[in-house]
Amino acid sequence: MEYSDGFVSKEHRELARSASESADPLSASQLKISIHTKSANSPNSPRSPNRTGSSRGSPSKGSPGKCERHSHSPKDGRPKKGGSGGKGTWGGLLDVDDNHSLDPNDPNFDSSEECDHTTVRKSTTDFLEFKRNVTIMVEEYFTTDDIVSTANELRELEMSGYHYYFVKKLVSMAMDRDDKEKEMAAVLLSALYADIIDPPHVYRGFCKLVESADDLIVDIPETVDVLALFIARAVVDDMLPPAFLKKQMASLPEDSKGADVLKRAEKGYLSAPHHAEIIERRWGGGMKKTVEDVKAKIDNILQEYVVSGDKKEARRCIKDLKVPFFHHEIVKRALIMAMERKQAEGRLLDLLKEASEEGLINSSQTSKGFGRMIDSVDDLSLDIPNACKILQSLISKAASEGWLCASSLKSLVPTPVKGSLQDDSAKIFKLKAQSIIQEYFLSGDISEVGSCLGSENNAYSAELNAIFIKRLITLAMDRKNREKEMASVLLSSLCFPSDDVVNGFIMLIESADDTALDNPVVVEDLAMFLARAVVDEVLAPRQLEEIGTQFSGSESIGRKVLQMAKSSLKARLSGERILRCWGGGGTGSPGWDIEDVKDKVGRLLEEFESGGDIGEACRCIKELSMPFFHHEVVKKALVAIIEKKNETLWRLLDQCFSSGLITTYQMMKGFGRVAESLDDLALDVPDAEKQFKHYVERATLAGWLDSFFCLSKSGPTKENGAYL
């Protein structure tokens, strides 16, 4: 069999390469395959070596002179086919010629093949080198925290095509470290974004991270939560578009960890109120800066600017603070400084104007800063004469220059309030209230709180009640769940007039912006306190709307609090969940399961029906400490009356309603639940519907139900969740 000169097919070359790669380099020396440009039958081909001796041109051992001898013949002195020859054979299967290179004179030579092989080898080598450098670079950054040095090193590598890998490596290494390194990684990405790393590479890097979530979770069990937070942080820092989540979700299997990561990022972080502040502070927010630290830095920036007048440097320092959600504090402190130092007014207003026009301080933060000044102008008047007049002048200048929307601000003219408390009286009461509340958190003595408040009763008791409620919940929000539960229990025990409670919550919501500086989850806490007040029947559901009328604008904090409270109340089993939101059961201690409560209700009704005392039955119902669940008592009693045609339990319901133990709302809810189950009840009691209509009429005449229930016959609106 004959072959054309130097022809080796691509398939054979690949076969030889794979075989050589799989061979054990320690088990045998590597054989070589020679590819010659001469035919095996050519007269110029090298002579075959002797089978029993070495080739003629090979030196013998111990002859240094022969070792240095080189052949001057143009012929290849190596054995034909590497010693694996024989007519019709290809040579050794594991043979690879280390000196082999493609011959341009070969009739089968393909120039693109040589180019491709060279490019692939170079690309692979470059990428491996980049990976090694990136690992070292990230390790050094976590040690030195030097953003500028890291940026310069990454730029000097001149491998921008692999920057997506830098994003992936930085985040994956940070995920397995402490919060400090996680925050450092997020800050570095934000600093390099667009300047060093192009946005498409950031996008691709996070895509790679999401795709590799299933592998990452093997070494990092909390991968889902940590990677979700990194993605949410990238969205908040404007490095990833919000659409990233949906696009990636569509390309991932539903049961993958990557899909879990995206769901956690969207629903667990980006959907929460004030999510930007929460996410920014999750790992310490700017290297664990506290609010007081930021305020001190703002004062230093403004004081240095007033002295130097360098607006460019001042803007750079403001940007380096990296607290865009706190820029209203800059506006407020600049205005106070302008009011205190008349000669610095022009410079400070110029700085605020340029920062607003540049977009460094957005219009919302500017308006918020002026709004906070308006709220505190009365206190400022104690130190700055004519503070109100000066502030009005500053507002007019800012509005005329076009960087403040004055129409969005409150009026500086105070609205007179009849019978309002004097400032001194209010301050004295606030101090006493704080002392009373702190002692209550230590002792848990509700009766002592009641007697202390009684001694403070005067003509302004309604306003004092609202102040006390505000102070109680404000102090509780800054403490643990135990104190929050105690505050709710105290609020339901003091029996304040509902109007005073409404005013107290309005005051709380109005001051929520300031409270949010120390408590980022103030919206969630206020919403839960509000929902708990409804469940405990301290407030009626309709009074939520009354509170809502005080806050206009869909994006206001008041609206957000009300929406969240209503959502909590509409959820299934909302009463039980809200009552136990802070680990209590309405008494400051863990409560029973719902099935246990139903069982207790059934047993106490049976005991009363068999001859029990009506006073004892009422006491047992009260000791359940679950007023939101009294509709279960109404339902079970009414069903028993219809089934047994025994009106003993009717007397118990009448006593409970007369004493105020069971409210109209709970009565309507209990009758409504029976109305819904009439079809099932009719299977055992054929005239159940007729009896039910009779008892509805009696209850309406007795004042238990209102006319709305009589007209609808379908029960009240589900304002506190689905019926149990």
Side-chain angles (χ1 to χ4, degrees):
M1 183 183 297
E2 294 186 1
Y3 299 91
S4 60
D5 289 350
F7 175 79
V8 179
S9 67
K10 184 181 291 186
E11 290 80 7
H12 179 63
R13 188 177 292 114
E14 292 295 327
L15 183 62
R17 185 182 296 110
S18 63
S20 66
E21 290 172 352
S22 63
D24 185 357
L26 301 178
S27 63
S29 60
Q30 193 175 21
L31 299 177
K32 301 179 180 180
I33 180 169
S34 300
I35 303 174
H36 307 292
T37 57
K38 300 293 184 180
S39 170
N41 296 328
S42 170
N44 295 326
S45 61
R47 182 176 299 177
S48 301
N50 293 331
R51 297 183 184 274
T52 59
S54 62
S55 65
R56 189 174 182 178
S58 61
S60 61
K61 292 183 179 180
S63 179
K66 290 184 179 181
C67 289
E68 296 174 359
R69 186 183 302 162
H70 299 281
S71 174
H72 297 284
S73 172
K75 299 179 181 179
D76 190 344
R78 290 177 293 181
K80 183 174 68 175
K81 303 181 184 177
S84 301
K87 189 174 183 180
T89 66
W90 286 99
L93 178 63
L94 302 180
D95 296 352
V96 177
D97 188 359
D98 291 335
N99 300 320
H100 165 63
S101 61
L102 295 176
D103 185 1
N105 297 321
D106 190 337
N108 296 292
F109 173 73
D110 184 356
S111 59
S112 63
E113 181 181 357
E114 182 178 29
C115 181
D116 291 343
H117 287 185
T118 304
T119 303
V120 169
R121 282 197 300 271
K122 187 176 185 304
S123 176
T124 303
T125 304
D126 289 347
F127 183 57
L128 292 175
E129 184 66 21
F130 183 80
K131 289 174 69 175
R132 283 193 293 270
N133 288 331
V134 163
T135 303
I136 297 171
M137 197 184 305
V138 173
E139 290 282 2
E140 289 181 353
Y141 170 67
F142 286 153
T143 303
T144 64
D145 190 19
D146 190 342
I147 294 177
V148 175
S149 176
T150 305
N152 290 335
E153 289 180 19
L154 186 60
R155 185 188 292 110
E156 288 169 2
L157 289 178
E158 295 182 351
M159 295 184 182
S160 59
Y162 300 133
H163 281 175
Y164 71 89
Y165 178 80
F166 177 85
V167 175
K168 178 184 176 183
K169 190 66 175 178
L170 174 65
V171 173
S172 59
M173 288 177 69
M175 287 170 61
D176 199 24
R177 299 186 179 227
D178 294 332
D179 284 354
K180 176 190 172 186
E181 284 79 10
K182 293 183 179 75
E183 178 65 21
M184 289 172 66
V187 171
L188 179 61
L189 277 182
S190 180
L192 299 181
Y193 178 76
D195 292 334
I196 306 295
I197 303 178
D198 292 334
H201 282 277
V202 174
Y203 191 99
R204 184 180 177 189
F206 276 98
C207 289
K208 295 286 186 184
L209 284 163
V210 172
E211 291 167 2
S212 60
D214 290 291
D215 297 327
L216 289 171
I217 203 168
V218 175
D219 299 316
I220 309 172
E222 62 273 15
T223 289
V224 172
D225 186 65
V226 177
L227 184 52
L229 190 52
F230 265 111
I231 291 173
R233 178 67 176 267
V235 173
V236 168
D237 290 342
D238 292 327
M239 292 188 292
L240 286 178
F244 171 85
L245 302 173
K246 291 185 179 179
K247 288 183 179 179
Q248 289 303 303
M249 185 70 75
S251 64
L252 293 170
E254 290 186 4
D255 58 346
S256 67
K257 294 299 178 184
D260 293 342
V261 168
L262 296 173
K263 290 175 185 175
R264 179 72 60 84
E266 181 178 13
K267 297 179 181 178
Y269 293 112
L270 294 172
S271 298
H274 295 280
H275 63 269
E277 293 92 328
I278 295 171
I279 292 169
E280 288 276 2
R281 296 173 182 175
R282 181 61 182 269
W283 292 320
M287 307 309 175
K288 304 214 178 270
K289 292 194 288 273
T290 65
V291 173
E292 294 305 318
D293 291 338
V294 176
K295 288 180 178 179
K297 288 183 179 181
I298 290 172
D299 282 336
N300 291 335
I301 291 170
L302 294 176
Q303 288 169 4
E304 289 177 7
Y305 166 69
V306 168
V307 173
S308 67
D310 189 344
K311 284 184 278 192
K312 184 177 180 180
E313 177 65 15
R315 293 199 304 272
R316 185 191 66 77
C317 291
I318 291 172
K319 187 176 181 180
D320 287 347
L321 286 176
K322 292 182 177 153
V323 286
F325 55 87
F326 201 55
H327 282 172
H328 55 82
E329 185 70 19
I330 298 173
V331 177
K332 177 187 174 185
R333 289 180 178 269
L335 292 174
I336 292 175
M337 194 174 292
M339 294 170 70
E340 291 175 338
R341 308 179 187 180
K342 189 65 178 176
Q343 69 276 13
E345 178 184 309
R347 279 190 175 181
L348 290 166
L349 290 181
D350 285 343
L351 175 62
L352 293 179
K353 178 184 177 182
E354 288 200 15
S356 298
E357 291 175 346
E358 185 184 301
L360 180 59
I361 300 178
N362 62 41
S363 58
S364 173
Q365 292 291 313
T366 302
S367 297
K368 191 172 182 179
F370 273 92
R372 291 180 62 197
M373 285 294 295
I374 292 172
D375 291 339
S376 60
V377 71
D378 292 335
D379 294 331
L380 285 171
S381 298
L382 300 175
D383 301 317
I384 306 173
N386 300 321
C388 184
K389 185 177 179 180
I390 298 173
L391 181 57
Q392 184 64 60
S393 172
L394 296 178
I395 292 173
S396 300
K397 288 180 181 179
S400 64
E401 291 174 355
W403 54 276
L404 173 66
C405 180
S407 60
S408 63
L409 301 176
K410 300 177 185 176
S411 173
L412 266 174
V413 180
T415 304
V417 179
K418 288 185 178 181
S420 60
L421 282 170
Q422 296 295 324
D423 288 341
D424 292 342
S425 301
K427 288 179 180 178
I428 292 172
F429 180 77
K430 286 178 182 178
L431 292 174
K432 290 182 178 179
Q434 182 157 334
S435 176
I436 292 170
I437 293 166
Q438 288 173 342
E439 288 182 10
Y440 166 68
F441 285 155
L442 293 174
S443 67
D445 191 343
I446 295 176
S447 60
E448 179 65 19
V449 176
S451 62
C452 290
L453 286 177
S455 65
E456 300 295 328
N457 193 12
N458 54 42
Y460 301 105
S461 60
E463 191 170 349
L464 291 177
N465 287 343
I467 291 173
F468 181 83
I469 291 168
K470 178 188 175 184
R471 180 61 59 180
L472 171 66
I473 295 177
T474 300
L475 290 174
M477 287 194 297
D478 200 30
R479 297 181 177 230
K480 296 181 179 180
N481 285 348
R482 172 182 173 273
E483 285 77 11
K484 292 175 183 175
E485 175 66 21
M486 292 177 70
S488 289
V489 171
L490 179 61
L491 187 60
S492 64
S493 302
L494 292 176
C495 301
F496 286 135
S498 59
D499 288 342
D500 297 352
V501 179
V502 168
N503 291 333
F505 274 103
I506 290 174
M507 292 168 65
L508 278 163
I509 295 172
E510 286 176 343
S511 62
D513 283 330
D514 293 331
T515 308
L517 300 178
D518 300 315
N519 181 11
V521 293
V522 63
V523 173
E524 291 88 334
D525 283 349
L526 279 178
M528 191 55 69
F529 271 111
L530 198 55
R532 177 65 178 267
V534 174
V535 168
D536 288 340
E537 299 187 350
V538 176
L539 291 176
R542 61 177 175 78
Q543 288 176 310
L544 293 180
E545 300 301 329
E546 182 180 340
I547 295 173
T549 59
Q550 304 296 316
F551 305 98
S552 59
S554 57
E555 295 302 317
S556 66
I557 284 188
R559 286 291 178 186
K560 291 178 181 177
V561 169
L562 287 170
Q563 288 171 2
M564 192 172 291
K566 289 178 180 178
S567 298
S568 300
L569 289 167
K570 289 179 181 177
R572 179 170 174 76
L573 306 180
S574 61
E576 180 191 3
R577 291 176 179 174
I578 293 170
L579 196 71
R580 289 168 172 73
C581 61
W582 292 307
T587 59
S589 59
W592 299 302
D593 291 333
I594 205 68
E595 293 303 323
D596 292 339
V597 178
K598 288 182 178 180
D599 185 54
K600 288 179 180 292
V601 169
R603 287 206 303 271
L604 76 85
L605 291 178
E606 289 175 2
E607 289 177 7
F608 173 74
E609 196 174 13
S610 62
D613 179 66
I614 194 168
E616 179 66 14
C618 290
R619 186 186 63 79
C620 291
I621 293 173
K622 186 175 182 179
E623 286 182 352
L624 288 174
S625 297
M626 299 183 75
F628 70 93
F629 203 55
H630 285 169
H631 55 80
E632 180 72 14
V633 177
V634 178
K635 178 199 168 188
K636 286 187 178 293
L638 191 56
V639 169
I641 292 170
I642 292 174
E643 287 179 340
K644 302 175 182 178
K645 295 183 173 58
N646 183 349
E647 296 194 1
T648 303
L649 292 174
W650 189 266
R651 291 189 298 107
L652 175 61
L653 292 179
D654 185 44
Q655 179 62 30
C656 289
F657 181 79
S658 301
S659 63
L661 183 59
I662 298 180
T663 64
T664 300
Y665 179 75
Q666 293 293 318
M667 280 287 188
M668 291 180 65
K669 195 169 181 180
F671 272 80
R673 292 181 61 198
V674 175
E676 289 181 343
S677 62
L678 276 177
D679 291 337
D680 295 332
L681 192 58
L683 298 176
D684 300 318
V685 185
D687 63 341
E689 185 173 357
K690 182 179 178 181
Q691 287 193 65
F692 177 71
K693 289 181 179 179
H694 168 71
Y695 289 117
V696 167
E697 291 174 0
R698 285 184 60 182
T700 305
L701 291 174
W704 300 359
L705 308 176
D706 60 22
S707 57
F708 170 76
F709 188 93
C710 296
L711 292 172
S712 67
K713 299 291 190 293
S714 60
T717 305
K718 297 180 184 178
E719 296 194 48
N720 196 22
Y723 297 130
L724 303 175

